[in-house]
Amino acid sequence: MNRREALAATARVLGGSIVGAQIFLSSCKTPEKKQEPFSPDDIAFLDAVGEVIIPTTTDSPGAKAARIGDFMRVIVTDCYSDAEHKTFIDGMATLKALSQKQYDKDFVKLSGEEQNTLLAAVNKEAKAYASTKREEDPEHYFTLIKQLTTWGYFTSEPGATKALNYLPVPGRFEGCVPYKEGEKAWAL
């Protein structure tokens, strides 16, 4: 078994099914750089969508504080395959068009309730698509956005230090620690 096969097997065992993760298993290949399709307005749009998915609460900052739009830009541009890249970019255009069609406004100018309503409908559509999707079919664009939002948020400084329990210099390993309901998960 070579290194790539071992990493792929480990990822499957641990449930590592984030779309775009194959770039980390591609060794030293340098893929061609994709054209940068993201404008500052696109980054603001992705920040707004991310903030609906992971909103700011009294206890922790939301996805916008983690600059989730910039994170998505980097991953989509540098790590996604051409098909995933196209699905994501087309999905952004679809979300923007839905906002214009239903509310005659840009998504970032919608009220919080309108943003929630629109994304709830898109999420329902994504779940229906996932239930009938064949393995060779691409992921739904909103699934990609949700995956990147959670990945980017919980690996960012605000997500890891404010939303999760964070211990920068851990003590000894305790494999069995009682969990109290309502307690934050640990950032490892």
Side-chain angles (χ1 to χ4, degrees):
M1 178 179 282
N2 65 30
R3 181 176 142 259
R4 184 175 299 156
E5 290 169 342
L7 287 172
T10 302
R12 280 192 299 276
V13 168
L14 296 176
S17 62
I18 294 176
V19 176
Q22 75 275 7
I23 193 72
F24 300 114
L25 303 175
S26 65
S27 191
C28 295
K29 296 177 194 170
T30 305
E32 286 185 32
K33 189 85 168 157
K34 295 179 185 75
Q35 182 181 356
E36 181 68 51
F38 294 92
S39 69
D41 288 341
D42 291 333
I43 302 300
F45 167 75
L46 291 171
D47 279 339
V49 172
E51 188 67 21
V52 174
I53 295 169
I54 302 178
T56 299
T57 66
T58 56
D59 297 335
S60 62
K64 191 173 187 176
R67 298 180 53 213
I68 206 67
D70 282 325
F71 175 82
M72 288 190 216
R73 176 189 57 80
V74 169
I75 298 299
V76 170
T77 303
D78 295 347
C79 301
Y80 270 15
S81 69
D82 290 338
E84 293 163 342
H85 187 267
K86 181 177 178 357
T87 299
F88 190 91
I89 299 301
D90 291 350
M92 282 177 47
T94 300
L95 266 179
K96 290 176 181 181
L98 279 171
S99 177
Q100 284 293 333
K101 181 181 176 186
Q102 290 184 9
Y103 298 103
D104 201 29
K105 289 190 258 184
D106 288 339
F107 184 85
V108 294
K109 294 195 165 85
L110 297 178
S111 70
E113 185 178 323
E114 291 169 332
Q115 289 177 340
N116 280 326
T117 302
L118 180 66
L119 292 186
V122 173
N123 189 46
K124 186 176 181 180
E125 172 190 312
K127 286 181 180 181
Y129 175 82
S131 69
T132 61
K133 170 182 151 346
R134 295 185 319 252
E135 190 171 324
E136 65 271 8
D137 291 338
E139 291 289 337
H140 191 277
Y141 68 90
F142 193 63
T143 301
L144 298 176
I145 291 172
K146 286 191 315 183
Q147 286 178 346
L148 288 178
T149 300
T150 54
W151 178 20
Y153 180 73
F154 288 109
T155 57
S156 72
E157 183 178 347
T161 60
K162 303 282 194 280
L164 299 172
N165 281 322
Y166 177 72
L167 189 57
V169 181
R172 66 174 198 240
F173 175 74
E174 293 184 40
C176 188
V177 178
Y179 171 74
K180 297 176 187 91
E181 189 157 336
E183 198 173 61
K184 293 179 185 177
W186 283 91
L188 301 174

